[in-house]
Amino acid sequence: MTYENLQISIEDGIAIITINREKALNALNRKTMSELRYFFETEGADRTDISGVIITGAGEKAFVAGADITEFQGLNAAQGKELSQYGQDVFELIEEFKKPVVAAVNGFALGGGCELAMACHLRIAGEKARFGQPEVNLGLIPGYGGTQRLIQYIGKTKATELMMTADMISATDALQLGLVNYVVPVGDEVAKAKELLNKIATKAPGAIAKIIKTVNAYFAAETDGFASEVSAFGECCATEDFREGAAAFVEKRAANFKGK
Ligand code: DAK
């Protein structure tokens, strides 16, 4: 696929996806959503040369300022449901991606932008980043999983307040609430994300994939998280990487994981 709204580069085995619609503050239009879908479902899933993914926004002002408001005027109920389901499906692909995905939030992360950041496994915020779910200003509610994931990250009390008031919160408030992992100086978001991914890349890739799966299982109504952990643990035990990790510990050397 030729990407129009995503700029993708591979640096040191990390795919860096930049949402590249700076004039519209990187708002997620249909095309951008379909490109994200293609990357996480097909291209990124097939690539063996990447150990993780970073998502960030072009420019200095916004990560993503929401779904593209110009595209959803005049939708009827059926079309709205269809679009919401599509968006949820795309973000679920990110959440279930087998390699770690980090949001490098370099500015406004509003509405669909906050939802995109929340679908990633980890979040780094620049000092000037602002988070919010302002859909009620438009007579809407979050439609790409925001009502559920915001509660998962920050709890029902504060999540309800943010969604009802449409208030924006600062990066430091987001850190305090548990919405982001780190706050860094403006411009250092991608570097910090790379640092985290490089550290994770020294671990067994299969074990990392199973952390993603079992953490997600905690929140999936149809899945028993404890049962998911038992079976994932058993699968880890059958890997070459487990034998290598245990041997390296005993031999007092660094493990050399092969992802097998
Ligand atoms: N969509 C389209 N264009 C946007 C945009 C957006 N979400 N946000 C900003 N822009 C555009 C502005 O229109 C402006 O374009 P021009 O006028 O220059 O052509 C340009 O980006 C720069 O924005 P501003 O001039 O407004 O910049 P300021 O610094 O003054 O303000 C701001 C920055 C982020 C505070 C402001 O732009 C703003 O309030 N933006 C909108 C934030 C927002 O409400 N985002 C949407 C949240 S609701 C759905 C599923 C999901 C959703 C909806 C439907 N269905 C299933 C149907 C999700 C909805 C949301 O994400």
Side-chain angles (χ1 to χ4, degrees), residues 17-202:
I17 299 178
T18 304
I19 315 278
N20 196 22
R21 299 188 71 226
E22 192 178 342
K23 283 192 181 142
L25 301 189
N26 304 319
L28 299 171
N29 61 0
R30 285 188 177 88
K31 180 82 175 93
T32 309
M33 291 296 279
S34 74
E35 291 179 11
L36 282 170
R37 178 175 203 136
Y38 180 78
F39 181 85
F40 284 98
E41 191 168 51
T42 306
E43 185 189 340
D46 290 346
R47 288 190 85 127
T48 53
D49 60 339
I50 58 168
S51 61
V53 180
I54 295 170
I55 303 179
T56 193
E60 290 168 8
K61 201 162 168 184
F63 171 69
V64 167
D68 191 319
I69 298 171
T70 61
E71 277 192 350
F72 54 71
Q73 286 170 314
L75 291 179
N76 63 30
Q79 291 165 326
K81 276 171 84 170
E82 197 184 311
L83 268 180
S84 175
Q85 188 63 58
Y86 182 81
Q88 286 195 12
D89 291 348
V90 173
F91 286 7
E92 201 177 311
L93 285 170
I94 297 174
E95 189 168 54
E96 290 181 355
F97 198 65
K98 292 189 170 65
K99 292 168 184 170
V101 184
V102 183
V105 182
N106 54 312
F108 289 111
L110 304 175
C114 188
E115 291 172 302
L116 173 62
M118 291 194 291
C120 297
H121 305 124
L122 300 164
R123 280 154 296 285
I124 311 297
E127 275 165 350
K128 289 197 179 153
R130 308 265 277 161
F131 296 81
Q133 295 289 162
E135 287 84 352
V136 290
N137 286 338
L138 304 166
L140 289 171
I141 65 168
Y144 294 163
T147 61
Q148 305 304 297
R149 289 196 182 96
L150 194 59
I151 294 169
Q152 293 168 4
Y153 290 121
I154 71 172
K156 184 175 172 184
T157 304
K158 208 63 193 171
T160 306
E161 180 190 333
L162 287 186
M163 289 187 278
M164 284 184 168
T165 61
D167 281 350
M168 286 187 219
I169 58 167
S170 67
T172 44
D173 285 346
L175 182 67
Q176 201 183 16
L177 288 167
L179 185 57
V180 302
N181 298 81
Y182 295 96
V183 177
V184 297
V186 170
D188 288 356
E189 302 87 355
V190 169
K192 180 69 185 175
K194 277 185 184 170
E195 181 191 316
L196 264 181
L197 286 174
N198 284 332
K199 183 188 273 191
I200 295 168
T202 65

